[in-house]
Amino acid sequence: MSAPFKLCLLIDDNYIDNFVTTRILDTANFAEKIEVYQSPASAIEALRDGKVKPDVIFLDIRMPLMSGFEFLQEYDKLNIDKNNIKMYMLSSSLDPTDIRKSSDNKYITQFIHKPLTFQVLEDICT
């Protein structure tokens, strides 16, 4: 069975979280390709330059130098087609402000608590 998405972009500074999330995405055959960026600024640059054209983005909130919310501000400035990109805030944050800010952001499809699960991926695909 083919993967429902071509390219999944994972933006998270935590190596262990990236390893676990990537394994779950691979096992679920979620995307044909998964690219991991530990730096939100590098992800913005890759998107701006057209090096990556994801169908789905999983974005962490708490990262050094640039938070997930700061990433979203920079993402908003990009001159790329954003209509076919689903973005999910994937975070361990329990802060109601983070959840509300995510829900209020026009680019965020859903706030998902870490760790990512097969059930969540199944819900995304249906």
Side-chain angles (χ1 to χ4, degrees):
M1 183 165 97
S2 65
F5 299 100
K6 288 194 181 299
L7 177 62
C8 176
L9 193 60
L10 176 58
I11 305 168
D12 192 329
D13 66 305
N14 187 299
Y15 174 81
I16 300 296
D17 286 346
N18 287 334
F19 177 79
V20 170
T21 301
T22 300
R23 292 288 305 214
I24 291 168
L25 291 167
D26 277 338
T27 303
N29 192 31
F30 184 76
E32 292 174 17
K33 186 172 182 187
I34 300 162
E35 292 212 15
V36 178
Y37 284 82
Q38 289 187 268
S39 160
S42 296
I44 287 290
E45 184 178 313
L47 287 162
R48 181 185 310 114
D49 295 347
K51 291 179 184 172
V52 292
K53 295 181 182 181
D55 304 296
V56 178
I57 298 173
F58 289 103
L59 175 65
D60 189 25
I61 293 176
R62 304 238 190 298
M63 295 177 280
L65 304 178
M66 181 185 284
S67 73
F69 294 116
E70 291 168 326
F71 170 89
L72 289 167
Q73 290 172 343
E74 294 304 310
Y75 180 81
D76 187 53
K77 298 173 190 175
L78 293 177
N79 187 21
I80 62 170
D81 181 13
K82 300 173 186 124
N83 293 324
N84 297 318
I85 301 173
K86 289 185 175 189
M87 193 176 326
Y88 298 90
M89 193 64 85
L90 180 61
S91 177
S92 56
S93 174
L94 298 174
D95 184 340
T97 304
D98 287 341
I99 296 168
R100 181 188 47 74
K101 281 176 71 175
S102 296
S103 298
D104 291 347
N105 188 285
K106 66 183 177 181
Y107 297 115
I108 299 297
T109 302
Q110 179 184 352
F111 183 96
I112 300 170
H113 289 282
K114 286 182 184 176
L116 191 60
T117 65
F118 292 110
Q119 182 61 54
V120 168
L121 292 177
E122 188 176 306
D123 293 345
I124 288 172
C125 293
T126 57

